[in-house]
Amino acid sequence: MSVVAIVGAGTLGGALAQTIAARDRVGSIRLVDEAADVAAGKALDIRQSAPLERFGTQVTAHGDVAAAAGADVVVLAGPAAAPETEWTDDAGLAQLDRLSAGRSGAVVLCAGASHRRLVERGVAEGRIPRGRLLGTAPEALRAAVTAVVALDVGCAASDIALTVLGVPPRHAVVPWGQATVAGQRLEELLPAARLARTRARTPLLWPPGPYALAAAAARIVVALVDGTALTSSCFVVPDGATGVRRRAVAAPVQLDAGGIDRIVEPALTPAELVHLRNGLAAVDREAEDG
């Protein structure tokens, strides 16, 4: 039976537990938070919705992060004590350290929009294998950009294929030349002026809200527990593929049951490549100045 542990019963963690349970593809969800009564209340609400939403996923609440031990996938969200926040910086790294002590081979997802640096520190300082630690927020941005394009074109979002890489919001890159609608190049369907407006709106779609973040993370969780191959935009620490080893960036990755199978390198135009490299250089400078 597949087990998913969600660490943090704040707004994001609660939304994620509900979203995963409703998909009915996971055997058990453990909602973990030091505020055990809050976690228990949210778990009860989800269980009570099961007959209406017709799912059989078991949802339980726990007050100790040790309950994440043995889970197939662990998702870090944010604390119930500050429900609209996400664990970041030292507090987030401490949670990753505690998870490292109690898990065995689990894939760890950082679901928050602010978790790019946490992924970076988890690999560099927490020594979590880069293939088993990733941030899922860029997938929410990809979905939002896809929805905007679908409205512009007048088609279903499922017809659109595009990806996001870089560091949102200012340094995100969408390879528009590779974007397609039902197999046809987007640039052939949208006039240049409309595509330029869509491109300009992309930074405004960041950060995604908790329910968009939950939907993106849930999609990845289900793929991991099912062992289904999936290409998704995630925060990862590349192994030199982008020329930046230490920095976590958004990149399209091929996922399998063990985590990251490989980082996909999309074809970029010269302008997109310059934008990406300039963005990564700016992130390096910001990190050094900080």
Side-chain angles (χ1 to χ4, degrees):
M1 180 177 70
S2 55
V3 177
V4 174
I6 300 171
V7 181
T11 301
L12 174 56
L16 182 55
Q18 177 70 61
T19 304
I20 295 174
R23 295 196 175 194
D24 203 21
R25 303 285 287 278
V26 171
S28 175
I29 297 172
R30 301 171 187 169
L31 186 57
V32 183
D33 199 291
E34 290 181 353
D37 55 341
V38 176
K42 292 191 175 186
L44 177 60
D45 287 344
I46 295 169
R47 290 197 300 271
Q48 289 180 332
S49 72
L52 181 63
E53 298 195 30
R54 298 182 180 180
F55 62 82
T57 300
Q58 297 298 308
V59 183
T60 56
H62 307 266
D64 192 325
V65 75
D72 300 287
V73 181
V74 178
V75 189
L76 191 67
E84 303 306 320
T85 67
E86 301 163 354
W87 274 304
T88 57
D89 300 322
D90 291 342
L93 189 61
Q95 290 292 335
L96 289 178
D97 286 342
R98 294 175 68 191
L99 290 170
S100 296
R103 62 178 169 75
S104 176
V107 179
V108 180
L109 308 180
C110 296
S114 60
H115 281 166
R116 184 190 70 82
R117 277 280 293 146
L118 185 56
V119 171
E120 193 173 286
R121 294 186 67 185
V123 171
E125 301 173 43
R127 301 189 182 280
I128 299 174
R130 71 181 74 237
R132 289 197 281 110
L133 177 63
L134 57 149
T136 57
E139 179 63 12
L141 176 60
R142 188 204 62 78
V145 175
T146 297
V148 169
V149 172
L151 288 173
D152 283 345
V153 176
C155 68
S158 58
D159 289 337
I160 296 170
L162 57 80
T163 192
V164 174
L165 61 157
V167 180
R170 290 185 297 134
H171 308 305
V173 176
V174 178
W176 294 106
Q178 301 298 309
T180 61
V181 180
Q184 186 174 359
R185 291 179 61 209
L186 176 63
E187 291 179 332
E188 297 173 355
L189 296 174
L190 277 186
R194 287 174 63 188
L195 186 57
R197 286 197 299 270
T198 300
R199 184 184 294 111
R201 291 161 69 182
T202 298
L204 305 179
L205 300 173
W206 188 269
Y211 296 97
L213 292 169
R219 179 171 181 258
I220 292 171
V221 166
V222 168
L224 290 170
V225 298
D226 281 354
T228 304
L230 174 70
T231 300
S232 178
S233 293
C234 296
F235 284 134
V236 295
V237 178
D239 188 13
T242 65
V244 182
R245 289 178 180 272
R246 296 180 298 113
R247 304 295 177 215
V249 297
V253 294
Q254 182 75 46
L255 301 172
D256 59 21
I260 300 171
D261 179 48
R262 66 184 181 94
I263 296 176
V264 180
E265 297 184 52
L268 301 178
T269 66
E272 290 166 347
L273 187 58
V274 168
H275 185 186
L276 177 62
R277 287 176 174 170
N278 288 346
L280 295 178
V283 170
D284 271 341
R285 289 193 298 271
E286 291 165 5
E288 290 169 0
D289 292 342

